[in-house]
Amino acid sequence: MTARGGLRNGLRIVHAHGDRVTVTEPTSGVELFSYVYGPEAAWEAPKPYLHPLRTLAGNVVTDYRPNDHRWHKGLQMTASHLSGANLWGGNTYVHGEGYLELPERVGSMAHVTFDQVEADSTGSGGAVIAERLTWHPYDGSLWAEEERRVEVHDVDPESGSWALTWTTSVTNRRDEPLRFGSPTTAGREMAGYTGLFWRGPRGFRDGRIIGPDAEGPGLMGRQAPWLAYSAEHDAADGHATLVFAHAPENDHTGEGGAHPAHWFVRNEPFAAVAPSFAFFDELELAPGDTLTRRYRVVVADGAWEREQIAKYLAEHPW
């Protein structure tokens, strides 16, 4: 395995080929995250993920393989129910039977190549990871091709925050529609998780969930342009706040019309957030069509209040 490092415009990137890409803030030496793309255990649906994800103070704000859900790995793109397959991993929800261990339904999102892994050449002080992937069911056949772009930007030591934008474009390569769903579309109430999914560390349990106009776990299944999760660290003093936002165009699918995102969020029995694109209803992608979604995650030290979050987002528009 070889490693390549670069330092331009403020961030350092080290690529351990075949395994991961690590982005570091050089002044503090804090590794903001590792983008792990090397394949792992098949039952956990091999696919890339970000972990550990850290604040600028160096505190970890993701979990990895917790004992309750071994397939929960940091921040990752998932597909819990996809035309009868499970491209997230672990047990599969079957209506009337609950969660079952069905390895024959577990697929993968496989790394193909990187188009770009470098510090941002625009002078913004950020970094870019642009990747191509393929999506497969258990038998390995090709179901979809994905173009993914993870951009690091707005690294601000003064506010103690930095941000990433995650863009995904998935093209259906089957000769029949791909149906994106969730446990809720399969019959389980208020379990609409799928898509970009964050699992917080164990110490973030019972954290504060904040929306634009309300707060608390009652935001499950609601619609809003953003949602934040704030909690106190276990091993370090202080709090961290993560702000999750989805781009306005995410609520539309072109010819299919509006398909609004709904928030999946929990602070009990664990911390989790996902801007689900198939919470209550399946999303159907026709052969040859492309589904594109953009998300932003702000990682901040401290317990941010609603007003501070709204001000930040207004000052950093899409």
Side-chain angles (χ1 to χ4, degrees), residues 15 35 37 110-117 129-134 146-148:
H15 185 182
Y35 183 83
Y37 65 93
H111 168 79
V112 175
T113 190
F114 287 113
D115 292 323
Q116 188 178 5
V117 178
I129 300 171
E131 182 186 25
R132 298 184 198 180
L133 307 97
T134 50
E146 179 190 357
E147 294 185 5
R148 179 178 299 181

Side-chain angles (χ1 to χ4, degrees), residues 166-250:
W166 184 307
T167 304
T168 178
S169 295
V170 181
T171 301
N172 181 5
R173 295 307 184 197
R174 302 181 77 194
D175 58 3
E176 58 185 277
L178 274 176
R179 301 187 310 278
F180 292 83
S182 66
T184 293
T185 66
R188 185 187 176 202
E189 292 186 2
M190 302 306 284
Y193 50 82
T194 198
L196 189 67
F197 189 96
W198 168 77
R199 170 68 188 254
R202 193 172 299 275
F204 276 28
R205 181 175 174 176
D206 298 324
R208 183 182 177 194
I209 301 166
I210 308 167
D213 303 306
E215 64 178 81
L219 292 173
M220 171 76 85
R222 302 277 190 89
Q223 293 174 252
W226 61 267
L227 186 147
Y229 196 105
S230 183
E232 187 172 7
H233 300 292
D234 258 350
D237 293 334
H239 292 68
T241 302
L242 285 87
V243 182
F244 303 88
H246 65 91
E249 70 268 19
N250 288 359

Side-chain angles (χ1 to χ4, degrees), residues 131-146:
E131 182 186 25
R132 298 184 198 180
L133 307 97
T134 50
W135 292 24
H136 308 271
Y138 180 78
D139 66 8
S141 58
L142 177 63
W143 274 16
E145 293 177 324
E146 179 190 357

